[in-house]
Amino acid sequence: MEIREFQRLIRQIYLDRDQRRGADQTFLWLLEEVGELTRAYRRKEDNAGSEMADVLAWMVSVANFLGIDLESEVLKKYPRVCPLCSSSPCTCPFR
Amino acid sequence: MEIREFQRLIRQIYLDRDQRRGADQTFLWLLEEVGELTRAYRRKEDNAGSEMADVLAWMVSVANFLGIDLESEVLKKYPRVCPLCSSSPCTCPFR
């Protein structure tokens, strides 16, 4: 599934209630999902993948609020190479 | 771009250095990017989209570590309807 298609799907399912809830409350929910992902990762639970799906869903909800097209941003930032060294694999100094 | 293709792209660019850094340090970097997105959102800066691209990139780096295919998880969790009420738009009690 394309990133853009997923963002459109989430808009269709949730935009009305996202707008009722408001941008700040929606962003806070995104952070709650990040917390759930962190807990699943730290505890080595088997739901980390499901929590990642939730993080992506809430992030595109926020993107819908802000008029951001996540797929365009991804293609702009990561044009098949590292955005800093312009290589693949990345050859930046190791951090 | 498909979610799976983006995950593969990030694996190609960064897997070697992600593995040198280790899973925990890579997860912490994901959380740092979430912080940068939160700052951009709170301050209404114009880089929120770019920070969302970074959050997605670091999240699929962690997924690569854990053997998670994010696109499969997304399709499992959001099969074109709300996973709780099975409707689109969502008809769950408002939260």
Side-chain angles (χ1 to χ4, degrees):
Chain A
M1 172 181 272
E2 293 194 344
I3 296 168
R4 182 169 294 126
E5 187 185 351
F6 181 62
Q7 181 168 349
R8 194 181 308 130
L9 171 72
I10 293 296
R11 182 187 295 119
Q12 188 181 345
I13 303 177
Y14 294 116
L15 185 63
D16 279 356
R17 62 183 43 221
D18 285 346
Q19 289 181 331
R20 277 176 69 190
R21 188 186 308 107
D24 287 1
Q25 284 289 323
T26 300
F27 198 99
L28 287 168
W29 203 321
L30 163 61
L31 294 180
E32 182 176 319
E33 296 297 338
V34 170
E36 291 179 7
L37 171 58
T38 305
R39 184 179 57 198
Y41 172 79
R42 191 184 65 76
R43 297 181 179 182
K44 302 188 194 315
E45 290 170 350
D46 61 5
N47 60 326
S50 165
E51 298 299 343
M52 285 185 186
D54 287 341
V55 168
L56 182 56
W58 285 92
M59 190 162 72
V60 298
S61 270
V62 173
N64 285 332
F65 257 111
L66 301 182
I68 289 168
D69 176 36
L70 181 58
E71 179 161 325
S72 297
E73 296 290 343
V74 159
L75 293 171
K76 210 184 322 174
K77 188 74 179 266
Y78 296 93
R80 303 194 172 278
V81 293
C82 171
L84 299 178
C85 67
S86 301
S87 298
S88 176
C90 167
T91 58
C92 290
F94 183 68
R95 300 193 284 168
Chain B
M1 172 182 271
E2 293 194 343
I3 296 168
R4 183 169 291 126
E5 187 185 353
F6 182 62
Q7 181 168 349
R8 194 182 307 129
L9 171 73
I10 292 296
R11 181 187 293 118
Q12 188 180 345
I13 304 177
Y14 294 116
L15 186 64
D16 280 357
R17 63 183 42 222
D18 285 347
Q19 290 182 329
R20 277 177 70 193
R21 188 186 309 108
D24 287 1
Q25 284 289 322
T26 300
F27 198 97
L28 287 169
W29 203 322
L30 164 61
L31 294 181
E32 182 176 318
E33 296 297 339
V34 170
E36 291 178 10
L37 170 58
T38 305
R39 184 179 55 198
Y41 172 78
R42 192 185 64 78
R43 296 182 179 183
K44 303 188 194 316
E45 290 171 350
D46 61 4
N47 61 326
S50 166
E51 298 299 341
M52 285 185 186
D54 287 341
V55 168
L56 183 57
W58 285 92
M59 189 161 74
V60 297
S61 269
V62 173
N64 285 331
F65 257 111
L66 301 182
I68 289 168
D69 177 35
L70 181 57
E71 178 161 326
S72 298
E73 297 290 344
V74 159
L75 292 171
K76 210 184 321 175
K77 189 74 180 269
Y78 296 95
R80 304 194 172 274
V81 293
C82 170
L84 298 179
C85 67
S86 302
S87 299
S88 176
C90 167
T91 57
C92 291
F94 183 70
R95 299 193 288 167

